[in-house]
Amino acid sequence: MQKDFMRFKFSTMIRIFRDKSIDEAMNMKFLKQFAGDKVNSLRPMIESLVAIAPYLTKNTIKNEVECCYTFDFPELSEEMQKCTYFFYGEDEKAYKTCYKHVKKAYPNANYRVEKGQGHITYACEFTNEYVKKLKNIINKSSL
């Protein structure tokens, strides 16, 4: 049931972005409801969606949603888990619905939860800070 709902929501969003300019998309009411005062931080993601929307088919959208609901966590050694990092925004749905499952699958991984952040906004709004964190992780990695 939830999978059907997500397919409907994603299909609706893609249909809305088809044949829109980036400026038209950025000024859409639903986007402002979704992101609040952080709409501009989503611009890179919205630009990508506007660019690919004309090429996505019903089957593509179905497959995209399907992979979100049928993911099997690959087994990772304890050593590999210690080299794995997960970033979440405290206000994003993935944190609320997936975090416990990921933490159970990978108890030795590294987790960071950004308070007061929603879906994607942290990486978009605080890009330089986010990139610095990723560079530090890479530089410390032994892989």
Side-chain angles (χ1 to χ4, degrees), residues 19-38:
D19 305 318
K20 297 280 190 284
S21 71
I22 182 63
D23 291 328
E24 289 171 318
M26 292 299 296
N27 288 305
M28 298 180 94
K29 183 179 178 180
F30 92 92
L31 191 58
K32 291 178 181 179
Q33 290 172 332
F34 175 74
D37 62 348
K38 298 179 179 180

Side-chain angles (χ1 to χ4, degrees), residues 46-89:
I46 301 304
E47 285 175 340
S48 295
L49 284 173
V50 167
I52 66 166
Y55 306 103
L56 297 179
T57 66
K58 283 183 180 183
N59 198 46
T60 305
I61 293 168
K62 179 183 175 231
N63 290 339
E64 179 73 22
V65 172
E66 187 67 29
C67 79
C68 292
Y69 286 89
T70 58
F71 183 78
D72 292 323
F73 295 101
E75 191 172 321
L76 295 178
S77 68
E78 185 175 332
E79 180 184 342
M80 183 59 82
Q81 288 181 45
K82 289 178 182 179
C83 298
T84 304
Y85 292 77
F86 294 91
F87 287 86
Y88 290 98

